[in-house]
Amino acid sequence: MKSKVYLAGGMNSNWQKKIIDELSDQFIFFNPSEHKLDDVKEYKVWDLYYVKNCDILFGYMEKSNPSGYGLALEIGYAKALNKLIILVDERSHSDATFHKNFKFIQLTSDIYFNKIEDGITMLSSMCRGIK
């Protein structure tokens, strides 16, 4: 049985497609960039439902993400539900003020990286030996 992965993070760069294209044979993905909901009340319900139903939360804090508030909420909720959390934080590396404020989210995650490629490699490794 494939593990279920929730893809948390920004919605503007289509980063989710890269992960899904690389790993769709290994995982079932819950991708909030595809739900097409505009009302915050509706997409909050969708997002938290799928965080609750995932096995792994893959979070991506892009340099261009203006705040990371949604990502922080999803990571906090996933932590409360004892989900495995893989975080890629590309913004803290180049923004010291953001890093100071986001460090708590990094530490809440099970593992974090500075580059998305490293996060994808880690996620891929979660399936090795499981058939």
Side-chain angles (χ1 to χ4, degrees):
M1 177 178 244
K2 292 181 182 181
S3 293
K4 297 170 280 196
V5 179
Y6 182 87
L7 300 173
M11 301 295 174
N12 298 322
S13 70
N14 208 21
W15 62 270
Q16 299 92 339
K17 182 176 178 352
K18 176 180 180 171
I19 294 174
I20 292 169
D21 287 350
E22 264 188 63
L23 303 176
S24 64
D25 60 327
Q26 298 176 41
F27 298 98
I28 296 167
F29 289 98
F30 302 140
N31 183 2
S33 71
E34 294 179 347
H35 62 49
K36 306 298 183 211
L37 299 170
D38 292 323
D39 185 302
V40 68
K41 293 178 214 168
E42 293 174 2
Y43 70 72
K44 174 202 63 157
V45 169
W46 192 100
D47 292 353
L48 296 181
Y49 174 83
Y50 284 102
V51 169
K52 184 177 181 178
N53 287 285
C54 75
D55 301 304
I56 302 167
L57 183 137
F58 186 98
Y60 182 39
M61 185 64 215
E62 295 176 271
K63 287 181 187 178
S64 62
N65 190 322
S67 70
Y69 293 135
L71 176 59
L73 168 66
E74 292 163 340
I75 288 174
Y77 188 52
K79 184 67 170 185
L81 296 170
N82 202 32
K83 306 295 181 175
L84 177 70
I85 302 166
I86 300 170
L87 174 64
V88 176
D89 177 8
E90 292 185 344
R91 185 167 172 191
S92 289
H93 184 68
S94 61
D95 184 337
T97 301
F98 182 83
H99 174 69
K100 179 181 172 191
N101 296 321
F102 201 70
K103 184 74 174 169
F104 185 76
I105 302 302
Q106 287 180 345
L107 296 173
T108 300
S109 303
D110 293 295
I111 190 164
Y112 63 92
F113 301 96
N114 296 324
K115 299 178 193 168
I116 193 164
E117 294 80 12
D118 295 335
I120 293 169
T121 298
M122 180 66 194
L123 181 60
S124 179
S125 75
M126 302 305 294
C127 279
R128 291 188 192 133
I130 301 172
K131 296 290 177 197

